[in-house]
Amino acid sequence: MALPPGPDLPPIAQGGWYVLRPFDLIDTCIRRYGDLFTLRLFGFGTLVCASHPEAIKEIFTGDPEELRVGEANAPIRPLVGDGSILLLDGPDHLLLRRLIYPLFHGEALKTTTALIGEIAAGALRRWPEGSPIDIYESMQEITLDVILRVLFGALPERERQALREAFATLVNQHASPLAGLLMVPSLRRELGPLTPWSRFRRSIDRIDALVHAQIARHRRERGLARDDILSRLTAAAEEEGHPLSDAALRDHLVTLVMAGHETTAATLTWAFALILGRPEVASRIEDEVRRAAGGGGGPVRNEHLDQLDYLDAAIREVMRLRPVVPILGVGRLLKRPMQLQGYHLPAGVKLVPLIYGTHRRPDLYPDPDRFAPERFLGRKIDPYTWLPFGGGMRRCLGLGFALHEIKIVLATALSSARLRLHGRPALRPTLRGITIGPQGGARMIMERPGSPHRSAAGA
């Protein structure tokens, strides 16, 4: 069976190209080979990448027994654990999805609004007025605080700080483009205490100890009224007659932290850079938030959120331009031969809906490199043309929570202070493990209403 065309470079060279310049590789392949092409990335096998909505629909709606997401995600096993929802297929995946979905959607979201707003407002109070603020660093702190509080509830300060430091250390270890190589089985070698794999294992061991301590605490206090995700997930599983082991809970919790922290921080960083880079967009969002709140200040409330249509459109446009999962993480491992777009594909290849490529199609998004929130005003989202959270039965369970958190953080910041970029952001999309994050300098200046800085600036 003939595969779609693709680069004739050896897998190690293609892998190196992807590690160092991921979007350049994708752009080059789309120009040369079109909507469907083949990559061979060292350590990740043969990938057939599709950017046409019709092909993506076929992949998303295909038989899950023939298109296995969990098996395709096997390289991230050391990070999230054997029981992670990202690695499960079949009935095990459906059961866990049924348990987790209600915890991050609908009424459950409304219970987190005040908490997210408080954490965002607390961060704003710590920002130095009139001095440059590192956007990415600030967003990482906010999103990590949010996910830890939502998952584990209110903790003693020492325990909370220990979890923050452990997960921050692991995330920082994945900041390098080369960190993704730790997911290649043949490169997992302990050659001394300072080698990458040894440091990674120590970080995982530290997280395991802290997370298991929280699981033990929750089991001891199971009679107490608690509203955190760990307690609700444990109770839901028991009600279903499928109680979760400590090991399974550990894998689910680590997955939720890793999937819901760094990706959201990256999107928020891009959002501030793109929105503040267009003062008219920032001003329109500020006006919209003020109108939703009745012209007054104060925290963002649930009744305000449905009125923030332009902010919602801006967030979706940020995610179109800067998806954090360009290739790896949304693929399907083909278990049987399949025909796609005129090609007969053999079992064993991975089919990859090409998020970045689809989002940059000029037939779907005219002038695709331009940041234009208006694209999404009054527009019904097509699940096969806007897919920052993947799609089909395996669409990210955190979609609702991520959009909710991003909206609250942006609304809180833009309505509470005057923000402007410091200099010209030098952000560039860079591989961080298996996701894409912002690399380089992006700083902003904060001035509170009525401050001397603001008065002087407007004089």
Side-chain angles (χ1 to χ4, degrees):
M1 296 183 183
L3 292 173
D8 57 5
L9 297 169
I12 194 166
Q14 293 189 39
W17 191 354
Y18 178 71
V19 164
L20 297 175
R21 301 179 66 185
F23 289 161
D24 178 67
L25 171 62
I26 296 172
D27 285 334
T28 299
C29 288
I30 289 175
R31 284 197 305 271
R32 291 180 181 176
Y33 310 115
D35 294 331
L36 202 67
F37 60 85
T38 301
L39 293 177
R40 294 176 174 85
L41 302 183
F42 172 70
F44 294 95
T46 300
L47 283 61
V48 174
C49 303
S51 60
H52 194 284
E54 288 302 318
I56 290 172
K57 182 177 181 178
E58 287 188 59
I59 296 170
F60 281 163
T61 60
D63 185 346
E65 291 301 312
E66 298 182 7
L67 297 164
R68 307 285 276 187
V69 176
E71 291 184 49
N73 286 336
I76 66 173
R77 189 179 305 275
L79 180 64
V80 297
D82 295 340
S84 168
I85 191 170
L86 299 177
L87 299 178
L88 299 178
D89 285 303
D92 290 338
H93 169 261
L94 292 176
L95 170 64
L96 191 56
R97 191 174 185 89
R98 189 168 70 248
L99 293 175
I100 293 177
Y101 181 86
L103 306 181
F104 290 99
H105 292 80
E107 290 300 314
L109 282 183
K110 295 181 180 180
T111 66
T112 67
T113 300
L115 171 66
I116 297 169
E118 289 169 8
I119 291 173
L124 257 69
R125 287 192 294 269
R126 294 190 298 272
W127 289 353
E129 188 171 1
S131 299
I133 302 157
D134 186 300
I135 303 176
Y136 196 21
E137 181 180 298
S138 298
M139 294 307 108
Q140 286 178 311
E141 292 175 358
I142 290 172
T143 58
L144 185 52
D145 281 346
V146 167
I147 194 64
L148 291 179
R149 179 65 176 80
V150 168
L151 291 180
F152 298 106
L155 297 175
E157 177 59 23
R158 190 164 74 173
E159 295 179 24
R160 185 188 69 85
Q161 187 61 25
L163 283 165
R164 287 185 80 257
E165 291 176 356
F167 278 107
T169 297
L170 182 62
V171 167
N172 289 335
Q173 287 176 348
H174 273 66
S176 164
L178 298 177
L181 296 177
L182 292 178
M183 303 299 106
V184 179
S186 61
L187 299 181
R188 300 170 193 161
R189 294 287 186 269
E190 298 216 24
L191 303 176
L194 300 181
T195 54
W197 181 248
S198 295
R199 290 188 291 112
F200 172 79
R201 286 306 319 167
R202 286 198 301 275
S203 293
I204 290 293
D205 290 344
R206 176 60 175 157
I207 286 172
D208 286 354
L210 294 170
V211 171
H212 278 291
Q214 293 303 320
I215 294 171
R217 174 202 287 269
H218 278 65
R219 293 206 188 278
R220 290 194 305 269
E221 300 175 352
R222 61 187 303 168
L224 301 178
R226 305 180 67 109
D227 197 36
D228 53 79
I229 295 295
L230 174 52
S231 298
R232 292 164 61 198
L233 177 58
T234 303
E238 291 175 351
E239 290 172 7
E240 285 269 349
H242 297 280
L244 298 172
S245 68
D246 287 3
L249 283 170
R250 175 269 175 208
D251 292 348
H252 305 328
L253 292 167
V254 171
T255 298
L256 291 171
V257 174
M258 298 306 294
H261 155 48
E262 179 72 357
T263 54
T264 306
T267 299
L268 276 164
T269 303
W270 289 119
F272 276 108
L274 290 168
I275 290 171
L276 297 179
R278 293 273 306 277
E280 71 278 12
V281 172
S283 178
R284 184 169 174 179
I285 292 172
E286 293 169 12
D287 291 342
E288 183 179 66
V289 175
R290 279 194 293 269
R291 285 197 306 273
V300 177
R301 303 184 187 282
N302 283 315
E303 58 267 26
H304 303 157
L305 296 176
D306 289 339
Q307 304 174 51
L308 303 180
D309 294 337
Y310 188 73
L311 175 56
D312 185 77
I315 293 168
R316 294 178 187 276
E317 176 71 342
V318 169
M319 291 182 164
R320 180 192 71 81
L321 275 172
R322 292 290 182 256
V324 296
V325 183
I327 291 183
L328 303 176
V330 294
R332 272 74 168 157
L333 180 67
L334 190 55
K335 302 297 287 185
R336 298 187 184 93
M338 173 183 174
Q339 183 166 328
L340 182 69
Q341 301 285 289
Y343 287 92
H344 297 279
L345 307 178
V349 304
K350 294 178 183 177
L351 299 186
V352 179
L354 198 59
I355 297 173
Y356 171 84
T358 305
H359 286 185
R360 298 292 179 125
R361 293 179 65 95
D363 57 333
L364 301 176
Y365 301 101
D367 195 6
D369 293 333
R370 185 170 64 94
F371 176 60
E374 295 77 14
R375 299 181 201 274
F376 290 97
L377 283 176
R379 172 178 177 170
K380 184 178 179 180
I381 302 296
D382 185 328
Y384 307 115
T385 64
W386 186 82
L387 40 144
F389 296 93
M393 292 178 62
R394 299 299 294 243
R395 189 169 70 167
C396 176
L397 284 168
L399 182 156
F401 183 77
L403 292 173
H404 187 71
E405 179 181 0
I406 292 167
K407 184 181 289 188
I408 294 169
V409 172
L410 289 171
T412 300
L414 292 170
S415 65
S416 302
R418 179 177 180 269
L419 301 172
R420 56 184 172 84
L421 293 176
H422 177 66
R424 299 182 63 183
L427 284 178
R428 59 186 180 280
T430 303
L431 192 66
R432 297 171 62 91
I434 63 170
T435 61
I436 295 288
Q439 184 74 24
R443 291 172 172 78
M444 59 185 173
I445 301 287
M446 180 191 70
E447 296 166 0
R448 292 185 176 87
S451 71
H453 294 282
R454 185 167 190 172
S455 299

